[in-house]
Amino acid sequence: MRRRFLLLFLTGLLFFATGHAQAEQPNVIVIMADDLGYGDVSCYGATELKTPHIDRLAAEGLRFTSGYCSASTCTPTRYSFLTGTYAFRGERTGIAPPNAPAIIKPGTETVASILKRGGYATAVIGKWHLGLGGKGGPDWNGSLKPGPLEIGFDTCFLLPTTNDRVPQVYVQNHRVLNLDPADPLWVGEKKPNPDHPTGLTHRDTLKMDWSHGHNSTIHNGISRIGFYTGGHAARFRDEDLADKWVEKSIEFIEQHKAEPFFLFFASHDIHVPRMPHGRFQGKTSLGFRGDSIVQLDWCVGELMKTLDRLQLAENTLVVFCSDNGPVLDDGYKDGAIEKIGKHRAAGPYSGGKYSVYEGGTRTPFITRWKGRIQPGQSDELVCTIDLAASLAALTKQTLPPESCLDSFNVLGALLGEDNAKGRDHLVQQNNGNNGTYALRVGEWKLQRYDKQTARNIVVERQLENTTVPQFQLFNLANDPAEKTDVSEKQAEITASLKKQLAGIIEQGRSRPGAERGLRK
Ligand code: NG6
Ligand code: CA
């Protein structure tokens, strides 16, 4: 007791001596959904299913109408979220194959390293899809290094790639969990032997058929991208992933309830193969895609319940977001297109996953910090890429100039403070570094296609490539669905946005305070 008084007294003294408030250290949980569109949850307008837990989060927090991820595919968004740098600046930042080496180099500043330095216990639980291991790729039977632990996470419990890619095993810290050395795990791009059963040779045995790609090694009745053998004791069932993420997250929260913690909860819902737990199957009229949304909502509810039970809700900033917009048929015949009915996965927007139309990157985005964030709606422009600089600001840390090159401190906007502004512009991209960009500045949106092709403009159809002009301009205020290209009519605005976008790409950074020329 006396020690506590002394501590309080000393803290008070420090406060007066420096004239500064202490750094705030709320726990931080970032819940990132996978392939969840703007219109996929009921608090963003969905009527064909209900997401009561996500809705509650929104009701108790801030619901953003201009909340974005930075890319319309998984790997680049996750790369930018963690590093605070646009993925088009990096190497190998496109959708990662099963044997991809670690994409983020050890020593890179990340959301996790920033918070770790700020005294947080840090964990990532769920889908990784940012590569593991050195140049040669993951050593599946050995030490999976580097990975999350080399860029600021104290601990990790992962699905190494994405579940439509091999292998179906968990990675705990540097190892495949439950791997029997007598049954080594092999992962490769070619059929390991002529008799190896695949989605092509054993199609009639599958419990869910594929529609394109996804016809290599079969596990749990589902054929995947890539081949693998062995590691049988380590393999999981698709149906159990969500339960496992929740179990491991509750464990982590309980262990660290007395100190500040950062949890990156990287859900695999609602990515393909959509195979929710039996208790969620058939819960919606939308097929397994809808049922997976309900499963995701359940996960959010379990995390909230845990915060309530441990009385942490008033001391925890929760951010809910998605890694890219929606897709219906992403390679499996799970009925998503046939059962869509009135549901509009991208809400009022065009495009979805793989696209730089708004549907590709504008997603549900909610912040909740009970007692601190005034519940409501915010139209400020914020992006997952801004969490690095914003959380650095929250924990009163200065970012080294050569790090987090495109992350803006929008902390005030994330917390809904009076008159606080979000970004004034945002670059969107689709995948890797292939010359497809968009730039939003206020109500204006420029699209740029160096290869002049665009994929999947209407999410309700199967993916297709369309030829498009190199530049298009849209006015989001009166044309949110980006239907009418006004680039010729608004030639001056088009020219100015083209110049601004080229400048951001060329300068190699856009964060105020990041010095130029330091990256090689
Ligand atoms: C594509 C896959 C798609 C999905 C995507 C990555 C095919 C035909 N398509 O190449 O199914 O896995 O990659 O999705 O194989 S993401 O959300 O992880 O970026
Ligand atoms: Ca995704």
Side-chain angles (χ1 to χ4, degrees):
M1 203 59 185
R2 268 180 53 195
R3 256 229 221 120
R4 223 196 234 169
F5 267 124
L6 190 69
L7 205 71
L8 264 176
F9 175 73
L10 286 176
T11 324
L13 211 63
L14 200 74
F15 178 84
F16 285 111
T18 57
H20 287 300
Q22 262 196 309
E24 289 182 279
Q25 289 191 314
N27 308 309
V28 177
I29 302 182
V30 174
I31 304 171
M32 187 175 274
D34 199 345
D35 298 2
L36 185 78
Y38 191 90
D40 272 329
V41 291
S42 33
C43 54
Y44 278 81
T47 53
E48 305 309 287
L49 49 72
K50 286 216 155 38
T51 49
H53 301 291
I54 299 169
D55 296 359
R56 179 186 146 206
L57 204 63
E60 294 175 352
L62 262 190
R63 192 184 69 96
F64 286 85
T65 60
S66 280
Y68 289 80
C69 48
S70 45
S72 57
T73 48
C74 167
T75 302
T77 279
R78 286 159 204 265
Y79 174 90
S80 326
F81 154 58
L82 286 175
T83 63
T85 297
Y86 287 134
F88 62 76
R89 303 200 194 284
E91 307 262 302
R92 296 180 300 107
T93 54
I95 299 171
N99 273 332
I103 296 169
I104 303 173
K105 292 197 184 71
T108 307
E109 193 82 275
T110 66
V111 174
S113 66
I114 292 165
L115 290 175
K116 187 180 165 83
R117 207 174 41 242
Y120 282 63
T122 54
V124 50
I125 295 172
K127 166 167 161 176
W128 182 238
H129 210 186
L130 285 167
L132 290 170
K135 268 211 181 86
D139 173 8
W140 295 106
N141 301 289
S143 179
L144 293 162
K145 227 174 166 168
L149 271 49
E150 284 65 44
I151 53 168
F153 288 101
D154 295 326
T155 178
C156 67
F157 193 94
L158 310 171
L159 162 68
T161 62
T162 154
N163 206 21
D164 58 344
R165 283 169 174 70
V166 297
Q168 278 53 60
V169 296
Y170 295 119
V171 168
Q172 185 166 36
N173 298 329
H174 288 134
R175 294 263 164 196
V176 169
L177 187 69
N178 297 331
L179 190 66
D180 174 3
D183 180 28
L185 178 61
W186 172 88
V187 177
E189 280 172 29
K190 296 217 174 81
K191 213 167 159 160
N193 62 66
D195 307 326
H196 183 79
T198 68
L200 287 170
T201 61
H202 290 66
R203 196 163 184 177
D204 54 341
T205 68
L206 300 176
K207 74 174 170 196
M208 185 166 59
D209 197 7
W210 52 273
S211 58
H212 52 100
H214 304 96
N215 52 25
S216 302
T217 293
I218 301 171
H219 169 68
N220 192 26
I222 300 169
S223 51
R224 325 262 167 174
I225 299 174
F227 298 91
Y228 72 122
T229 57
H232 287 89
R235 299 188 188 193
F236 57 67
R237 256 179 17 126
D238 307 67
E239 290 87 336
D240 299 325
L241 279 182
D243 283 346
K244 190 50 97 183
W245 307 145
V246 166
E247 175 199 319
K248 288 289 156 190
S249 296
I250 294 177
E251 235 172 75
F252 174 75
I253 296 172
E254 277 176 349
Q255 273 165 18
H256 298 282
K257 60 178 185 230
E259 54 183 322
F261 64 80
F262 165 55
L263 169 63
F264 174 23
F265 183 89
S267 167
H268 189 261
D269 291 319
I270 56 175
H271 198 284
V272 298
R274 301 174 186 122
M275 189 50 65
H277 191 272
R279 68 187 189 278
F280 297 111
Q281 296 186 9
K283 285 289 171 215
T284 69
S285 60
L286 302 177
F288 282 179
R289 186 173 185 280
D291 301 345
S292 299
I293 297 176
V294 172
Q295 175 168 276
L296 166 71
D297 186 63
W298 172 83
C299 295
V300 173
E302 291 306 294
L303 295 177
M304 299 308 103
K305 236 196 259 172
T306 306
L307 294 181
D308 289 341
R309 174 167 59 82
L310 301 173
Q311 299 183 320
L312 294 174
E314 307 223 326
N315 187 30
T316 303
L317 168 63
V318 180
V319 180
F320 178 84
C321 55
S322 178
D323 72 336
N324 53 253
V327 56
L328 298 186
D329 181 339
D330 206 15
Y332 292 96
K333 293 183 188 168
D334 59 11
I337 291 187
E338 297 78 2
K339 294 185 176 168
I340 195 69
K342 287 192 294 190
H343 186 71
R344 287 292 162 265
Y349 302 113
S350 296
K353 186 171 180 176
Y354 311 110
S355 144
V356 291
Y357 281 78
E358 290 292 284
T361 50
R362 204 196 288 214
T363 66
F365 196 113
I366 299 164
T367 57
R368 187 197 76 162
W369 180 355
K370 270 188 151 178
R372 177 66 195 271
I373 292 178
Q374 220 20 49
Q377 178 186 305
S378 171
D379 300 328
E380 291 302 321
L381 177 55
V382 295
C383 178
T384 48
I385 201 170
D386 299 324
L387 289 167
S390 304
L391 293 173
L394 177 71
T395 54
K396 301 269 187 298
Q397 300 188 61
T398 319
L399 289 177
E402 74 281 10
S403 62
C404 307
L405 299 173
D406 302 289
S407 187
F408 281 40
N409 172 9
V410 291
L411 181 65
L414 292 172
L415 301 182
E417 282 165 5
D418 286 348
N419 305 318
K421 293 272 164 242
R423 297 177 145 258
D424 61 351
H425 72 275
L426 176 69
V427 178
Q428 295 145 266
Q429 66 165 110
N430 61 350
N431 184 21
N433 194 347
N434 60 11
T436 300
Y437 309 94
L439 173 65
R440 180 176 167 190
V441 181
E443 62 186 13
W444 297 105
K445 166 92 176 271
L446 180 82
Q447 295 187 6
R448 168 175 152 181
Y449 300 93
D450 293 354
K451 293 198 183 117
Q452 305 215 13
T453 65
R455 230 170 141 192
N456 195 29
I457 291 167
V458 179
V459 72
E460 277 78 18
R461 283 206 298 268
Q462 198 163 20
L463 300 178
E464 53 191 44
N465 268 319
T466 333
T467 305
V468 287
Q470 193 187 359
F471 293 100
Q472 295 183 76
L473 182 77
F474 301 96
N475 183 308
L476 296 177
N478 55 37
D479 180 24
E482 297 163 277
K483 297 251 190 250
T484 314
D485 173 16
V486 294
S487 57
E488 276 173 31
K489 237 163 87 192
Q490 300 285 353
E492 262 175 48
I493 291 170
T494 306
S496 133
L497 263 62
K498 270 162 87 168
K499 197 169 155 211
Q500 187 176 355
L501 177 58
I504 294 169
I505 297 169
E506 272 155 34
Q507 278 149 26
R509 61 22 177 168
S510 61
R511 174 170 68 81
E515 271 164 25
R516 69 187 307 172
L518 284 167
R519 272 164 69 92
K520 303 235 161 71

